[in-house]
Amino acid sequence: MGDSDPFECRLNFLNLLEKLNASQQSIHKVALYAIRHKKVAEDLYRCLVDALEQASINTRLNIVYVLDAIFANSQKARFTGYQDLARRDLTRIIEAVVPNDPKGIVNVGNTRKILNNWRRRGYFDPSELDLAEKPLLEREASNSVQTATRGDGGVFSKEDMLRRMEEDRERHKRFKEDLWIRSSDEYGDAEFQQIWENTDALDPETDYEVMMLQNMLRLPHYAWHMMLSQRPEVPSPANGTATATPNATTQQSPPS
């Protein structure tokens, strides 16, 4: 049997998936095999999805990174077979990577990065990704409170957490490289949009004070304290008298 035989390709692909880890070398090795044997894309894709649903929580994330690498290499090869197959399974894939249990919450952040990357690169329609993201948001909402009150001690061992930290560092390398590698056909503000989507929302209670402090350090001779003193007053809930907003109590002259 030749290496292009569907049965042999499946066996070889499953063997690669069994040896998969978070390193870029391992992920790209599996992805390149899938591209090299794209004639049996449907068979290999089914192997990947089946392995995804049966793997450990960390390996499931590695498999999604393999899928991301397959899409990237498919785009270079002008092949859409894997994307067409995954399109109807997007929600199933996300639900497998972020299961509805205490362990699932640890994959939320990385899975969101993957979805944002797929959105930025135009692998799928935005509406399809919005639908696929719903289970992710539901998992985050339902599990975050449980995780915060219980902590990870009862879910992951110390060894699990150390291994996870090391694997996350490996995965981060791919997205760090992605910031420097831009597609030639992406829209003009795609890089800004990617950074914007991964930036935390503004917190008026603390962020304005931090920004003002940075301003004072950068231009210490500017009258920043005048800006603070001009902040509007708000009625006190106790007696209705006007009082300064909390941030206004930090008025001080800039350092000389």
Side-chain angles (χ1 to χ4, degrees), residues 7-179:
F7 181 74
E8 187 171 349
C9 283
R10 285 173 62 93
L11 290 179
N12 291 336
F13 193 64
L14 287 171
N15 185 51
L16 289 173
L17 288 174
E18 288 177 0
K19 299 176 180 177
L20 179 66
N21 57 54
S23 71
Q24 293 304 301
Q25 180 181 5
S26 177
I27 288 172
H28 283 291
K29 184 176 182 179
V30 181
L32 290 176
Y33 186 91
I35 297 301
R36 192 181 310 122
H37 299 283
K38 59 181 181 290
K39 289 184 178 180
V40 290
E42 187 168 0
D43 288 329
L44 300 185
Y45 172 76
R46 286 300 154 205
C47 289
L48 190 145
V49 173
D50 290 343
L52 173 66
E53 295 180 328
Q54 298 172 17
S56 67
I57 194 69
N58 283 348
T59 303
R60 293 184 187 195
L61 192 58
N62 293 337
I63 292 175
V64 171
Y65 273 80
V66 167
L67 199 56
D68 180 65
I70 288 175
F71 293 159
N73 285 281
S74 293
Q75 193 174 57
K76 296 175 184 177
R78 300 185 181 278
F79 176 71
T80 62
Y82 287 107
Q83 290 167 239
D84 295 337
L85 290 165
R87 180 171 284 106
R88 61 177 180 262
D89 288 333
L90 283 176
T91 300
R92 176 184 175 185
I93 291 169
I94 299 306
E95 288 178 340
V97 183
V98 188
N100 192 18
D101 59 37
K103 288 187 176 182
I105 193 67
V106 301
N107 283 349
V108 168
N110 282 288
T111 306
R112 177 170 287 114
K113 289 180 181 179
I114 289 284
L115 289 176
N116 286 339
N117 187 51
W118 293 355
R119 190 185 303 273
R120 176 173 62 85
R121 293 186 176 275
Y123 295 154
F124 304 99
D125 291 335
S127 59
E128 294 172 332
L129 292 172
D130 289 341
L131 185 62
E133 193 176 17
K134 284 185 177 181
L136 182 67
L137 300 175
E138 292 170 0
R139 301 290 193 271
E140 188 175 34
S142 63
N143 288 334
S144 58
V145 174
Q146 300 176 31
T147 303
T149 56
R150 181 183 55 249
D152 288 336
V155 180
F156 297 101
S157 67
K158 181 179 180 180
E159 292 74 16
D160 289 336
M161 289 187 282
L162 291 174
R163 182 168 57 252
R164 175 66 185 226
M165 291 170 62
E166 182 62 31
E167 290 184 350
D168 279 346
R169 278 194 288 269
E170 286 290 332
R171 298 183 188 106
H172 180 67
K173 291 178 183 178
R174 174 174 175 80
F175 283 102
K176 193 173 183 180
E177 292 170 358
D178 245 11
L179 292 175

Side-chain angles (χ1 to χ4, degrees), residues 164-230:
R164 175 66 185 226
M165 291 170 62
E166 182 62 31
E167 290 184 350
D168 279 346
R169 278 194 288 269
E170 286 290 332
R171 298 183 188 106
H172 180 67
K173 291 178 183 178
R174 174 174 175 80
F175 283 102
K176 193 173 183 180
E177 292 170 358
D178 245 11
L179 292 175
W180 299 97
I181 304 173
R182 317 303 304 184
S183 173
S184 59
D185 57 353
E186 68 181 11
Y187 54 92
D189 62 345
E191 184 174 4
F192 168 81
Q193 190 65 32
Q194 179 191 11
I195 297 173
W196 178 263
E197 290 172 354
N198 287 280
T199 301
D200 293 334
L202 179 71
D203 183 359
E205 296 297 324
T206 59
D207 288 345
Y208 286 125
E209 288 188 3
V210 172
M211 286 188 284
M212 185 60 70
L213 176 60
Q214 293 298 320
N215 288 338
M216 288 179 175
L217 293 174
R218 177 66 179 84
L219 295 174
H221 300 294
Y222 189 81
W224 298 111
H225 62 289
M226 295 298 296
M227 296 180 63
L228 286 171
S229 65
Q230 293 172 5

